[in-house]
């Protein structure tokens, strides 16, 4: 059995040092940190703290972005930022733009988001962190320095899925926990050797935390997962990326 504890009493993030703020809050207890805990943090507050906000009015728009904006019925400045953050356009149809982000994730609009950014005088969007795995490691380091406990840290974002309705939280940054647990070659309960089973542990943990954090006005950007069995390792979110040669959706 495991439990999910939202980290309450956090400020509205408009910047600031997220690793230190989270570490200080967890050092105060409730829920605090215990050995084996996993801290799941939303991408949004990490991106805000790292200055990944862009005003669309400041964006120089290329001809390619204008053409793609007409095709998708999207803001040309937004499309320009999507292209800058992406290595490949996977699908582009009216109202849908799916790309392969420079980090390797296949996602809508390169993960660029405009929700829950607060009020401001101009339209802004938020990009993914430059290196979410490094961001997760900095949070783990700060928690260890402040509390003496190094939690596993997962940075989560909400993704849609092929052939499925709705979004779920997945891991785009991992420091400590396994990203994937490979069960291939092990026997199942009946002694049959499993051939294909690989458990997306970090995605499952992010999804569990997402049920508590919510996607709307909840204002809960971090959760502690307690009671999950895992061992510290050196996997990152890149372990979750399917090799391009196995991508059936290309």
């Amino acid at each position: 059995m495991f439990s999910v504890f939202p980290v309450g009493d956090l400020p509205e993030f408009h910047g600031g040092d997220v690793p230190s703020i989270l570490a200080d809050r967890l050092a105060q207890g409730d829920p605090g940190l215990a050995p084996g805990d996993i801290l799941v943090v939303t991408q949004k507050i990490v991106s805000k703290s790292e200055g990944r906000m862009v005003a669309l009015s400041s964006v120089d728009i290329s001809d390619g972005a204008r053409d793609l904006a007409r095709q998708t019925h999207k803001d040309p400045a937004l499309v320009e930022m999507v292209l800058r953050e992406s290595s490949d356009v996977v699908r582009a149809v009216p109202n849908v733009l799916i790309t392969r982000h420079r980090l390797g994730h296949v996602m809508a609009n390169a993960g660029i988001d405009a929700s829950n950014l607060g009020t401001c005088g101009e339209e802004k969007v938020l990009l993914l962190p430059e290196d979410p795995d490094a961001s997760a490691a900095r949070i783990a380091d700060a928690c260890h320095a402040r509390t003496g406990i190094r939690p596993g840290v997962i940075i989560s974002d909400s993704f849609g899925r092929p052939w499925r309705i709705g979004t779920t939280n997945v891991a785009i940054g991992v420091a400590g926990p396994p990203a994937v647990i490979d069960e291939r070659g092990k026997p199942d309960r009946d002694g049959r050797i499993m051939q294909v089973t690989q458990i997306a542990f970090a995605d499952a943990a992010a999804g569990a935390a997402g049920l508590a954090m919510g996607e709307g006005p909840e204002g809960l950007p971090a959760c502690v997962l307690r009671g999950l069995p895992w061992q510290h390792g050196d996997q990152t979110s890149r372990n979750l990326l399917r090799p391009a040669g196995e991508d059936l959706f290309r």
Side-chain angles (χ1 to χ4, degrees):
M1 296 293 293
F2 72 96
S3 302
V4 181
F5 301 97
V7 180
D9 297 326
L10 290 171
E12 180 67 31
F13 288 91
H14 298 289
D17 184 351
V18 161
S20 293
I21 292 170
L22 288 172
D24 288 345
R25 176 65 190 86
L26 290 166
Q28 298 169 15
D30 191 26
L33 282 178
D37 282 354
I38 296 175
L39 175 62
V40 181
V41 182
T42 61
Q43 160 268 327
K44 190 155 293 180
I45 66 169
V46 175
S47 290
K48 286 181 178 180
S49 74
E50 295 179 358
R52 299 288 287 158
M53 194 97 70
V54 175
L56 291 181
S57 61
S58 70
V59 176
D60 293 327
I61 305 168
S62 64
D63 290 340
R66 292 187 190 279
D67 291 342
L68 193 56
R70 284 191 289 269
Q71 182 180 347
T72 58
H73 305 167
K74 291 182 177 290
D75 185 320
L78 171 62
V79 173
E80 176 64 35
M81 292 309 306
V82 170
L83 292 178
R84 293 183 191 182
E85 288 288 289
S86 301
S87 62
D88 185 29
V89 175
V90 177
R91 291 289 186 273
V93 298
N95 303 312
V96 176
L97 179 54
I98 300 173
T99 69
R100 188 178 303 278
H101 190 274
R102 58 179 175 77
L103 296 170
H105 307 291
V106 176
M107 56 199 313
N109 301 324
I112 296 174
D113 191 11
S115 64
N116 292 320
L117 299 187
T119 57
C120 58
E122 56 184 333
E123 188 173 4
K124 295 185 178 182
V125 294
L126 197 64
L127 315 183
L128 297 190
E130 286 281 358
D131 185 345
D133 293 314
S135 301
R138 285 192 291 271
I139 293 171
D141 289 344
C143 290
H144 182 248
R146 185 71 174 85
T147 69
I149 295 172
R150 181 179 297 277
V153 177
I154 293 171
I155 295 176
S156 69
D157 196 9
S158 55
F159 275 34
R161 291 83 38 79
W163 298 325
R164 307 286 287 185
I165 296 294
T167 62
T168 187
N169 278 25
V170 302
I172 65 166
V174 177
V180 177
I181 298 176
D182 193 347
E183 300 285 5
R184 293 174 297 180
K186 298 178 182 179
D188 67 9
R189 289 187 305 170
D190 301 314
R192 297 185 182 90
I193 300 302
M194 293 182 283
Q195 303 294 323
V196 298
T197 302
Q198 298 180 80
I199 300 169
F201 180 88
D203 281 349
L211 293 174
M213 294 189 292
E215 292 287 343
E218 293 86 353
L220 295 171
C223 281
V224 170
L225 274 59
R226 184 167 295 159
L228 286 172
W230 61 280
Q231 293 183 338
H232 276 274
D234 58 3
Q235 290 190 3
T236 70
S237 64
R238 292 190 176 277
N239 291 90
L240 289 157
L241 301 178
R242 186 175 295 279
E246 299 176 10
D247 185 353
L248 301 181
F249 297 96
R250 288 177 63 85

